[in-house]
Structure formats: structure tokens, C-alpha cells
Amino acid sequence: MKHVLITGCTRGLGLAMARGFAARGWTVSGCGTNASAAAALQKELGEKHRITRCDVTSPDEVAAFAADILAGPGAPDLLLNNAALINRNAPLWEVTPEDFSRVMDVNLKGVHLICRGFLPAMIARGSGVVVNFSSGWGRSTSPEVAPYCCTKWGIEGLTSALAQELPRGLAAVALNPGIIDTDMLRSSFGSASSAYPDPAHWAVKVVPFLEKLGPSDNGAALTAPQ
């Protein structure tokens, strides 16, 4: 049975993917920062799955999360680094140091910690795909979201370098998920976000797409089907 691990799985795209993979017979592991939301999703999906609270910016929490998952379902076949946040719309000189650091910590450092926690076991097994969620703003830019753009451009570079480091049998992919009506999009687009598909409809096409990724995709910069 295939095993997928999804960070940020208690809301938005992560929640839609968790439900989609579970419905297709995958074992789903994942985490979010809201303990009650994690418990609710665990109850919804059932006991064969493992959803817990974990802050991906905390080395100690990620280490404990990884130890728990690896001792249970084991190394994931598909690791989806989905957890991310965006800054409040503002020109760069008005973004506070605290807000800038938080975006960097979640969107970049969190990916590093999750990879550090799970990749050794995937490498030891000799298989697995890491999908680091990028953005259209990882390949272009817009005003007032400079910190977010910075992290997603960083994801593109980090993933490309990681792909060069991985041994045969594994893959690292940067994925632009497209434009979806999520809380994150609403923070930037406001009411205009309703013109775009919601996460549940998005996941209908994207979960099967992700299932098909394999070693031959290593290093690819992909865009999810819309």
C-alpha cells in the first residue's frame, strides 16, 4: 500500500489532498499546527492514517514527528512539502522583520527540516518522490508579496539542487499548484479569489497527477493540471 506524507494537511490544498489520497487507498500521514484540526482529520480518515500536530519550523517537533511516522507507517513513497504561508500585502519596506522571518521559516526552513527528517529513510529504501510546493510566484513576481516570492523562488532552486544530490531511484520535483481559491489567495486577491477553483475540485485532477510521479521526473519544475 502506498504511503503519502503531507505537511500543512489540515486546511486548504493539504486537506483536499489528504482526503483525495485516502479515498484512492493510500495511507496518509500528515501534520498541521492546529491540534484540534489535526485530531478532527485523524478521526475523519480513520485509524490506518496518522495525522498529528507539528510545527515544521521547530527542529525538535519535526524530529519527534519523523520518528513517530517512521516507526509506524514508515518512510513515505510520496512526500509533499505543502505547508506555507504568505505575508500580508505590503511593499517590502513595510513588512516587519517578524513577518518576513516567519514566511522564511515556514516556507523554506520547514522544507529543509522535513526533508532532513524523512529523506534518509527514503534513500535507505531506495525509492520515493519529494514534491516541494512552489507557486506561480516562484517563477514570476508581483508587488506586495516579495517575501513570499522570495521563498518560492528559493524552493525552485533548493529543489533543483536536491535533485542533483539524490541517488538513483528517488526524485525531487518543484510543483506550481496553480491558482486556487484558498485562504492564502484571499489574503492577496480578496473577493476576486472566488473566480478560481476551490481545493476540492483542484484535488480531483491533481491527486492522480501526483500519483504518477516517479524517478524519471527528478529535477522537473512542473505545473499541476487545472
Side-chain angles (χ1 to χ4, degrees), residues 100-124:
F100 190 93
S101 292
R102 183 63 179 164
V103 173
M104 297 297 140
D105 286 347
V106 174
N107 297 9
L108 280 175
K109 294 181 183 179
V111 170
H112 167 244
L113 290 176
I114 290 293
C115 286
R116 190 169 184 269
F118 290 96
L119 265 175
M122 297 167 71
I123 291 168

Side-chain angles (χ1 to χ4, degrees), residues 21-136:
F21 275 105
R24 294 174 70 86
W26 286 60
T27 296
V28 178
S29 297
C31 65
T33 55
N34 185 309
S36 61
L41 182 58
Q42 173 68 63
K43 183 177 180 180
E44 175 188 336
L45 296 184
E47 62 182 13
K48 85 168 188 176
H49 307 284
R50 182 70 174 143
I51 311 298
T52 63
R53 186 202 172 278
C54 176
D55 182 346
V56 298
T57 71
S58 166
D60 290 342
E61 290 190 25
V62 171
F65 172 62
D68 178 55
I69 299 301
L70 294 175
D77 299 289
L78 188 57
L79 172 56
L80 306 181
N81 275 310
N82 163 73
L85 52 79
I86 196 168
N87 59 285
R88 178 184 58 84
N89 282 16
L92 184 61
W93 58 91
E94 293 182 5
V95 177
T96 67
E98 294 78 14
D99 286 348
F100 190 93
S101 292
R102 183 63 179 164
V103 173
M104 297 297 140
D105 286 347
V106 174
N107 297 9
L108 280 175
K109 294 181 183 179
V111 170
H112 167 244
L113 290 176
I114 290 293
C115 286
R116 190 169 184 269
F118 290 96
L119 265 175
M122 297 167 71
I123 291 168
R125 186 187 56 206
S127 64
V129 177
V130 177
V131 180
N132 294 328
F133 275 61
S134 180
S135 169

Side-chain angles (χ1 to χ4, degrees), residues 187-199:
S187 77
S188 299
F189 281 27
S191 61
S193 64
S194 63
Y196 298 95
D198 62 47

